[in-house]
Amino acid sequence: MSSTGRPGAGVPQRPPHVLMAGIAGFAEATLLFLVALVSFTFSAESGLLALFGVLYLALTATCLWGAVSVLRGRDRRPLVAASAVTGVVALVGLVVGFLQGQGVSLLPALLLLLAVGAVVLLLQAPSREWFAAHRDG
Protein backbone atom coordinates (compact mmCIF):
# COMPACT_ATOMS: atom_id res chain seq x y z
CA MET A 1 0.00 0.00 0.00
CA SER A 2 1.10 3.53 -0.66
CA SER A 3 1.18 6.25 1.97
CA THR A 4 -2.26 7.42 0.80
CA GLY A 5 -3.81 4.09 1.75
CA ARG A 6 -4.54 3.05 -1.83
CA PRO A 7 -3.08 -0.14 -3.29
CA GLY A 8 0.13 0.41 -5.21
CA ALA A 9 0.21 0.10 -8.98
CA GLY A 10 2.48 -2.98 -8.99
CA VAL A 11 0.78 -4.86 -6.16
CA PRO A 12 -2.09 -7.14 -7.27
CA GLN A 13 -5.20 -6.88 -5.13
CA ARG A 14 -6.09 -9.88 -2.95
CA PRO A 15 -8.86 -11.89 -4.61
CA PRO A 16 -12.03 -12.54 -2.61
CA HIS A 17 -11.23 -16.28 -2.76
CA VAL A 18 -8.26 -15.72 -0.44
CA LEU A 19 -10.24 -13.55 1.97
CA MET A 20 -13.07 -16.07 2.20
CA ALA A 21 -10.63 -18.95 2.71
CA GLY A 22 -8.99 -17.03 5.56
CA ILE A 23 -12.36 -16.39 7.18
CA ALA A 24 -13.25 -20.08 6.79
CA GLY A 25 -9.93 -20.96 8.47
CA PHE A 26 -10.76 -18.74 11.45
CA ALA A 27 -14.27 -20.25 11.66
CA GLU A 28 -12.78 -23.76 11.58
CA ALA A 29 -10.34 -22.83 14.34
CA THR A 30 -13.16 -21.46 16.51
CA LEU A 31 -15.27 -24.59 16.16
CA LEU A 32 -12.29 -26.88 16.71
CA PHE A 33 -11.37 -24.95 19.86
CA LEU A 34 -14.87 -25.40 21.23
CA VAL A 35 -14.71 -29.13 20.53
CA ALA A 36 -11.32 -29.28 22.27
CA LEU A 37 -12.76 -27.56 25.34
CA VAL A 38 -15.65 -30.02 25.48
CA SER A 39 -13.25 -32.94 25.06
CA PHE A 40 -11.06 -31.71 27.91
CA THR A 41 -14.11 -31.07 30.09
CA PHE A 42 -15.24 -34.69 29.84
CA SER A 43 -11.76 -36.23 29.74
CA ALA A 44 -12.07 -37.34 33.38
CA GLU A 45 -14.67 -39.87 32.22
CA SER A 46 -12.47 -41.25 29.46
CA GLY A 47 -8.78 -40.73 28.84
CA LEU A 48 -9.43 -41.09 25.11
CA LEU A 49 -11.30 -37.78 25.15
CA ALA A 50 -8.13 -36.03 26.35
CA LEU A 51 -6.30 -37.44 23.33
CA PHE A 52 -9.03 -36.09 21.04
CA GLY A 53 -8.80 -32.76 22.86
CA VAL A 54 -5.09 -32.54 22.07
CA LEU A 55 -5.79 -33.42 18.42
CA TYR A 56 -8.45 -30.72 18.15
CA LEU A 57 -6.22 -28.19 19.89
CA ALA A 58 -3.39 -28.93 17.44
CA LEU A 59 -5.81 -28.54 14.52
CA THR A 60 -7.02 -25.26 16.03
CA ALA A 61 -3.48 -23.89 16.16
CA THR A 62 -2.72 -25.04 12.62
CA CYS A 63 -5.93 -23.51 11.25
CA LEU A 64 -5.14 -20.21 12.97
CA TRP A 65 -1.59 -20.24 11.64
CA GLY A 66 -2.83 -21.09 8.16
CA ALA A 67 -5.54 -18.42 8.17
CA VAL A 68 -3.10 -15.73 9.24
CA SER A 69 -0.58 -16.94 6.69
CA VAL A 70 -3.19 -16.81 3.92
CA LEU A 71 -4.44 -13.36 4.83
CA ARG A 72 -0.89 -12.00 4.99
CA GLY A 73 -0.19 -13.50 1.57
CA ARG A 74 2.70 -15.66 2.75
CA ASP A 75 1.64 -19.24 2.04
CA ARG A 76 -1.54 -21.21 1.47
CA ARG A 77 -0.17 -24.68 2.24
CA PRO A 78 -0.68 -24.66 6.05
CA LEU A 79 -4.37 -23.83 5.70
CA VAL A 80 -4.85 -26.32 2.87
CA ALA A 81 -3.23 -29.07 4.97
CA ALA A 82 -5.09 -28.17 8.18
CA SER A 83 -8.40 -27.95 6.32
CA ALA A 84 -7.79 -31.29 4.62
CA VAL A 85 -7.12 -32.99 7.96
CA THR A 86 -10.12 -31.24 9.53
CA GLY A 87 -12.29 -32.39 6.64
CA VAL A 88 -11.20 -36.00 7.08
CA VAL A 89 -11.81 -35.87 10.85
CA ALA A 90 -15.23 -34.28 10.30
CA LEU A 91 -16.14 -36.85 7.65
CA VAL A 92 -15.19 -39.68 10.03
CA GLY A 93 -17.33 -38.00 12.71
CA LEU A 94 -20.27 -37.80 10.33
CA VAL A 95 -19.95 -41.44 9.29
CA VAL A 96 -19.60 -42.69 12.88
CA GLY A 97 -22.56 -40.62 14.02
CA PHE A 98 -24.67 -41.86 11.14
CA LEU A 99 -23.71 -45.49 11.77
CA GLN A 100 -24.63 -45.10 15.43
CA GLY A 101 -28.11 -44.00 14.39
CA GLN A 102 -27.73 -40.33 15.36
CA GLY A 103 -28.26 -39.05 11.83
CA VAL A 104 -26.30 -36.09 10.52
CA SER A 105 -24.75 -33.99 13.28
CA LEU A 106 -24.52 -30.25 12.75
CA LEU A 107 -20.98 -29.68 14.03
CA PRO A 108 -19.15 -32.25 11.88
CA ALA A 109 -21.23 -31.21 8.85
CA LEU A 110 -20.34 -27.54 9.39
CA LEU A 111 -16.66 -28.37 9.92
CA LEU A 112 -16.64 -30.44 6.72
CA LEU A 113 -18.30 -27.64 4.78
CA LEU A 114 -15.81 -25.03 6.04
CA ALA A 115 -12.82 -27.30 5.42
CA VAL A 116 -13.82 -28.24 1.89
CA GLY A 117 -14.71 -24.62 1.16
CA ALA A 118 -11.31 -23.34 2.29
CA VAL A 119 -9.43 -25.94 0.24
CA VAL A 120 -11.52 -25.34 -2.89
CA LEU A 121 -11.14 -21.56 -2.60
CA LEU A 122 -7.36 -21.78 -2.18
CA LEU A 123 -6.99 -24.14 -5.14
CA GLN A 124 -8.91 -21.84 -7.51
CA ALA A 125 -6.90 -20.11 -10.24
CA PRO A 126 -7.22 -16.54 -8.82
CA SER A 127 -5.82 -17.69 -5.47
CA ARG A 128 -2.96 -19.66 -7.03
CA GLU A 129 -2.05 -16.75 -9.30
CA TRP A 130 -2.18 -14.24 -6.44
CA PHE A 131 0.09 -16.33 -4.23
CA ALA A 132 2.51 -16.88 -7.14
CA ALA A 133 2.61 -13.13 -7.88
CA HIS A 134 2.87 -12.25 -4.20
CA ARG A 135 5.75 -14.68 -3.74
CA ASP A 136 7.63 -13.32 -6.77
CA GLY A 137 7.01 -9.67 -5.89
Side-chain angles (χ1 to χ4, degrees):
M1 284 208 157
S2 67
S3 61
T4 62
R6 291 186 214 129
V11 178
Q13 190 171 358
R14 176 182 22 223
H17 300 72
V18 174
L19 178 63
M20 291 305 296
I23 291 170
F26 282 120
E28 280 179 71
T30 302
L31 292 175
L32 288 166
F33 183 70
L34 293 174
V35 173
L37 286 178
V38 169
S39 295
F40 286 132
T41 300
F42 295 107
S43 66
E45 295 175 17
S46 170
L48 185 61
L49 287 176
L51 183 64
F52 281 114
V54 171
L55 169 71
Y56 290 126
L57 208 53
L59 279 173
T60 299
T62 309
C63 282
L64 283 174
W65 173 43
V68 169
S69 178
V70 160
L71 291 177
R72 292 183 129 202
R74 298 191 192 274
D75 196 5
R76 64 188 172 127
R77 290 176 294 190
L79 186 55
V80 169
S83 292
V85 171
T86 300
V88 168
V89 169
L91 184 60
V92 168
L94 274 172
V95 169
V96 167
F98 191 75
L99 291 176
Q100 289 179 343
Q102 298 173 355
V104 176
S105 299
L106 179 64
L107 183 66
L110 186 57
L111 276 171
L112 182 62
L113 179 68
L114 287 168
V116 168
V119 170
V120 167
L121 286 168
L122 288 174
L123 294 179
Q124 294 290 317
S127 297
R128 287 193 324 261
E129 292 165 3
W130 185 73
F131 279 104
H134 210 266
R135 183 175 43 240
D136 294 340

